[in-house]
Amino acid sequence: MSTTSVSASSPAGLPVPDRAARLRDALLAADFTADGLLDLLGAPAYAALARSETVPALRATRGGSPLDTLVRLFLLQQPVAYERARAALPGDEALEDGWLTRTGDDVRAAVDVRPYGGPEGQDWFIVSDLGCAVGGASGASGREEGMVLGVGGASTTLAGLTVRTPVASALDLGTGSGIQALHAAQHATRVTATDLNPRALAFTRLTLALSGAPEAELREGSLYEPVGSGTYDLIVSNPPFVISPGARLTYRDGGMGGDDLCRTLVQQAGARLNEGGYAQFLANWQHVDGEEWQERLRSWVPRGCDAWIVQREVQDVTQYAELWLRDAGDHHTGPEAYAERYEAWLDEFEARRTKAIGFGWITLHKSGSEEPSVTVEEWPHPVEQPLGETIRAHFARQEYLRTHDDAALLADRFRLADEVVQEQVGLPGAEDPEHVVLRQNRGMRRATTVDTVGAGFAGVCDGQLDAGRILDAIAQLIGEDPVQLRDRTPESIRMLVGQGFLEPVGE
């Protein structure tokens, strides 16, 4: 397996990035941006394009402006008259550098170039194979080995989950078209991007160059092999996590049995993280007959790391197989070929005693603690992206709770987190509610039921009084022994702090 750095030359058939800055200037001058597309196409056509429906966008781009031309070329992947393309782009450079191909009087895009808005309003461009972006004009009637996909729901999910604190070094493992490396380049001094597919590394170089981002160190190879014993402050990966019979498609199939690729990725991350660093992954995992899936995932967590693992979705084996058979375009093959491949998936799951597949997020934090905090939960409910700060705060709270016993907890002060509201549920006209709910309107959007003491405690937490004094006042109001209330309440306070309803004020 090659673990050497990749040269600056592009594979045959791909553009060269040498004059990408001039192409970027032309794209921006034409307003070929995420906002510009929405203004040109209108919301209905813009949304239709995301569903691979191109007719509304074709109707909206009949005007002949440079923006119309660029949308037809790079998003709709339609032939455009050579003179129109030459007027919209810097002379013949796009043709000479391989961004376009010419046949007679027409030109076509050689790659998909898709505007992508950065988190602070940056105008970025993600470069991928034709028809392989979400909403790609040609759809996905069939995937091919070695192809490189553009922006999809998984990649944007991971980008929103990532902790965005300034770091010295970041590793994007399995970079694909380079979206994670592009994000990391905004807050990491040094970015390393790896991929088993050299074509993907070439696309990452194009994405970075066309987005005006710093270059990354590009390395070819599998898993952590390309970086050897190197360590990083941040590791991110949207890996080929699909649990499949074989490795037909590099971009999705890991080539290991079952969920071994995701397990290996997580287990080996601890040795590659610097102290205080984060590793964040999207993953699939098996629900195996006779095993608790939570314990299966707990066993993946490397020593010295805290972990937060969130299962977002579960599919039975038939749903899962059908999803990825459609992704590969197998539903367009003949009935016998489709049935044969379907059987192969079910045979694989039966052999591994797999009854369902879970999908979710895994975050590790290199705390070095001998008593690590490992949270494994199922959370299929809506959340508010980006969640990077929510995830960073989660681990900060776990460290706080680990280092504060009950006495220290009662001596500390707390404040109710922003956007937390209280709901009282009960029959109309009743003197007291049946129960009280605290609800977060940001981040994970959790809700939890609290008793009268919990509601009263949370309601007066403004950072002024320590927890013990608040409990003493509540005990006096409800006629309870303050010593007993102090003894039984810390567990509830820990829950409210751990889930982010209360924040320690500190010194």
Side-chain angles (χ1 to χ4, degrees):
M1 182 63 63
S2 171
T3 60
T4 58
S5 296
V6 176
S7 69
S9 61
S10 293
L14 290 186
V16 294
D18 301 359
R19 294 183 287 195
R22 286 172 56 81
L23 177 58
R24 171 178 171 79
D25 289 342
L27 299 180
L28 295 178
D31 205 18
F32 186 64
T33 63
D35 290 340
L37 291 183
L38 183 58
D39 290 341
L40 172 68
L41 302 179
Y46 192 80
L49 188 60
R51 302 190 299 270
S52 297
E53 297 290 348
T54 61
V55 172
L58 284 168
R59 291 175 60 87
T61 55
R62 293 180 293 191
S65 71
L67 181 55
D68 293 326
T69 299
L70 295 174
V71 171
R72 283 180 170 249
L73 271 174
F74 291 118
L75 264 67
L76 304 180
Q77 289 148 23
Q78 298 292 309
V80 169
Y82 165 71
E83 292 300 333
R84 282 185 58 185
R86 193 171 186 277
L89 295 167
D92 286 325
E93 288 181 9
L95 191 62
E96 295 168 357
D97 291 348
W99 298 93
L100 305 176
T101 61
R102 184 175 181 178
T103 304
D105 293 332
D106 290 337
V107 294
R108 286 181 175 270
V111 292
D112 185 300
V113 177
R114 195 150 299 249
Y116 176 75
E120 298 179 0
Q122 302 99 322
D123 290 317
W124 292 340
F125 301 95
I126 308 299
V127 188
S128 65
D129 273 312
L130 293 173
C132 292
V134 170
S138 63
S141 59
R143 305 290 196 181
E144 297 178 358
E145 175 66 18
M147 71 191 325
V148 178
L149 272 61
V151 180
S155 54
T156 56
T157 293
L158 179 59
L161 294 173
T162 303
V163 176
R164 297 294 176 194
T165 53
V167 295
S169 57
L171 171 64
D172 175 15
L173 196 153
T175 186
S177 57
I179 180 174
Q180 308 306 330
L182 178 57
H183 277 278
Q186 311 308 303
H187 63 104
T189 303
R190 176 174 58 89
V191 176
T192 301
T194 73
D195 206 288
L196 183 63
N197 182 4
R199 187 176 177 84
L201 297 173
F203 273 112
T204 293
R205 179 180 290 111
L206 294 172
T207 289
L208 294 173
L210 197 55
S211 298
E215 293 184 1
E217 179 185 19
L218 305 178
R219 289 185 170 268
E220 180 186 344
S222 177
L223 296 175
Y224 296 101
E225 291 176 2
V227 298
S229 59
T231 59
Y232 300 86
D233 302 311
L234 174 67
I235 299 172
V236 293
S237 183
N238 176 18
F241 52 64
V242 177
I243 299 171
S244 60
R248 289 173 57 200
L249 301 174
T250 303
Y251 72 87
R252 70 166 206 191
D253 300 322
M256 294 185 179
D259 52 19
D260 282 355
L261 182 137
C262 291
R263 175 185 57 79
T264 301
L265 194 65
V266 174
Q267 287 183 334
Q268 294 183 1
R272 270 64 178 204
L273 276 178
N274 293 326
E275 197 71 20
Y278 291 90
Q280 300 187 259
F281 312 102
L282 300 185
N284 278 184
W285 45 79
Q286 299 171 106
H287 285 225
V288 178
D289 191 30
E291 291 184 13
E292 293 292 334
W293 68 269
Q294 296 93 333
E295 293 308 309
R296 180 182 189 84
L297 292 176
R298 285 179 183 276
S299 71
W300 292 8
V301 178
R303 188 172 182 177
C305 289
D306 295 343
W308 187 14
I309 302 173
V310 181
Q311 179 168 274
R312 294 288 287 161
E313 185 179 359
V314 181
Q315 290 185 320
D316 67 47
V317 292
T318 59
Q319 291 174 313
Y320 190 81
E322 291 161 12
L323 169 66
W324 295 109
L325 286 167
R326 287 194 301 272
D327 172 80
D330 291 329
H331 58 307
H332 293 302
T333 63
E336 292 185 2
Y338 178 77
E340 182 179 350
R341 286 180 175 171
Y342 200 152
E343 287 276 6
W345 283 75
L346 297 185
D347 287 344
E348 175 78 4
F349 292 138
E350 183 177 351
R352 295 183 178 278
R353 302 180 9 254
T354 303
K355 57 184 180 180
I357 306 294
F359 168 81
W361 322 321
I362 298 177
T363 301
L364 306 176
H365 179 232
K366 187 71 169 290
S367 66
S369 175
E370 295 183 0
E371 299 178 358
S373 165
V374 179
T375 302
V376 182
E377 62 177 325
E378 187 165 16
W379 193 257
H381 312 294
V383 299
E384 183 187 53
Q385 284 274 36
L387 279 171
E389 178 55 27
T390 297
I391 290 174
R392 186 208 61 77
H394 166 87
F395 288 101
R397 292 194 301 269
Q398 305 316 306
E399 178 65 20
Y400 171 86
L401 293 173
R402 181 165 48 215
T403 56
H404 286 69
D405 61 17
D406 287 355
L409 201 69
L410 293 176
D412 213 342
R413 295 170 290 130
F414 302 90
R415 61 179 292 274
L416 196 64
D418 294 336
E419 304 297 330
V420 173
V421 297
Q422 176 179 300
E423 301 174 357
Q424 296 186 358
V425 181
L427 295 174
E431 183 176 349
D432 296 312
E434 293 180 6
H435 59 266
V436 177
V437 175
L438 298 180
R439 186 179 302 278
Q440 300 169 349
N441 287 324
R442 305 294 298 273
M444 295 295 286
R445 293 179 171 168
R446 297 185 187 276
T448 187
T449 301
V450 292
D451 59 15
T452 302
V453 172
F457 182 85
V460 298
C461 278
D462 60 2
Q464 300 301 310
L465 298 176
D466 63 56
R469 292 176 62 187
I470 293 175
L471 290 178
D472 290 344
I474 292 175
Q476 186 174 4
L477 285 173
I478 64 177
E480 185 170 339
D481 184 338
V483 175
Q484 292 184 357
L485 191 61
R486 280 175 173 253
D487 286 344
R488 69 177 177 86
T489 304
E491 182 177 354
S492 297
I493 297 175
R494 288 185 180 278
M495 182 275 293
L496 292 174
V497 172
Q499 294 191 359
F501 291 94
L502 294 178
E503 298 175 347
V505 172
E507 297 299 329

